[in-house]
Amino acid sequence: MTCDTPLSVIDLKAARGSRHALLREVGQSGQHRIEALRVLILGAGGVGCPAALYLAEAGIAHITIADSDKVEASNLARQTLHTAERIGTNKAQSAKIELARLAPAVDVCAIPEWVDEEKIAFLAQTCDIVIDCTDNFKTRHAANRAALRCRKPLITASAIRYSVQTAFFDFSQKDSPCYACAFPEDDELDVKASAVGILSPVAGIAGMIAAEEALKWTAGLKTLAGSLLVLDPLTWEMQRIHLARMPNCRSCGCRADRL
């Protein structure tokens, strides 16, 4: 095959997974599970774009990506799936266009609207794992409750200023804490990059960690489940905080199916 001969979809898919399969902890069986993975990503911004990109490039089966916002010029420095030509386009639809160009074998469904708890739960039913890349606590808590209801693993990833936070909640385990155990709804104030700033690659780091955790979970490797990872790229200081389920948690503490 010469460099002028296009790879078939089958050949391209095999090539994408070839380095994963070489990993002893992943192997062919783990890569086959990765190729069947279906992911719901909430948010097509600075964190959601790199998460979706790395999962698509890994050759997973399906991505559903939801976002109600439109692309703005100020987004382009860190929201890597968007282009200047698509300013004004819905972010979920823009992400789908770019992912189709970069990884055409991956099925991508764009949801160009704000999603509440019921909509997230509906979308999660057809996916294996939920990745919350949004920038507001209202949606994070809605995603938490929806994933808990569906017993779907939830990765939540955020980035602001020079700070990255990523947590993994494996709701297939009855003793798993939930997002509200660590961040009660009454105690939170939204802080957005539009108000305080962010160094562009910091968002990419958060998205890549989220994608890595999803791939590791799929392949059967050890994950951050039950932990919150806090990384400061300004100093490269990192903390892994083990989270505990709170018996009086308003989201998971009173659920009969978790007793």
Side-chain angles (χ1 to χ4, degrees), residues 15-257:
R16 287 185 187 279
S18 62
R19 299 302 187 269
H20 289 160
L22 292 175
L23 295 168
R24 176 175 55 84
E25 298 85 353
V26 178
Q28 288 289 352
S29 60
Q31 179 56 26
H32 289 328
R33 290 194 294 272
I34 288 172
E35 291 171 0
L37 178 63
R38 300 176 62 86
V39 175
L40 169 60
I41 298 177
L42 305 175
V47 179
C49 281
L53 174 61
Y54 270 84
L55 289 169
E57 295 284 26
I60 71 170
H62 174 88
I63 295 173
T64 295
I65 189 163
D67 200 311
S68 63
D69 290 343
K70 294 182 178 180
V71 178
E72 299 178 2
S74 61
N75 302 149
L76 301 180
R78 66 193 179 282
Q79 300 184 15
T80 51
L81 293 179
H82 309 314
T83 65
E85 292 74 19
R86 293 201 291 274
I87 290 174
T89 303
N90 170 265
K91 287 184 180 180
Q93 294 174 330
S94 173
K96 178 177 179 177
I97 292 169
E98 194 68 7
L99 292 172
R101 183 181 72 83
L102 296 170
V106 179
D107 179 45
V108 180
C109 174
I111 308 295
E113 62 190 58
W114 183 79
V115 287
D116 60 10
E117 179 180 342
E118 293 301 321
K119 183 71 171 184
I120 295 170
F122 174 78
L123 296 171
Q125 292 286 2
T126 62
C127 295
D128 302 307
I129 192 167
V130 179
I131 304 180
D132 174 21
C133 301
T134 59
D135 63 355
N136 67 89
F137 291 121
K138 182 177 181 180
T139 305
R140 289 176 194 164
H141 282 286
N144 177 66
R145 292 189 295 268
L148 182 61
R149 283 168 52 187
C150 300
R151 292 288 181 87
K152 300 289 184 177
L154 170 67
I155 297 170
T156 178
S158 63
I160 198 76
R161 298 187 184 95
Y162 308 99
S163 177
V164 172
Q165 292 190 5
T166 307
F168 193 121
F169 306 98
D170 186 357
F171 294 135
S172 67
Q173 305 298 317
K174 289 190 175 183
D175 61 348
S176 170
C178 77
Y179 182 83
C181 291
F183 301 98
E185 293 188 61
D186 294 341
D187 294 345
E188 297 173 303
L189 292 174
D190 280 328
V191 180
K192 298 184 182 297
S194 58
V196 300
I198 182 171
L199 191 66
S200 298
V202 173
I205 294 170
M208 287 187 286
I209 292 174
E212 180 190 34
E213 286 298 300
L215 294 175
K216 289 195 300 181
W217 172 80
T218 306
L221 278 64
K222 188 174 181 179
T223 69
L224 283 172
S227 299
L228 169 67
L229 184 70
V230 181
L231 172 64
D232 179 0
L234 189 62
T235 63
W236 291 117
E237 293 180 354
M238 182 172 61
Q239 288 181 293
R240 179 172 178 173
I241 303 168
H242 292 279
L243 305 175
R245 183 183 170 200
M246 304 300 289
N248 61 344
C249 174
R250 289 168 56 184
S251 292
C252 71
C254 60
R255 289 178 61 90
D257 62 354

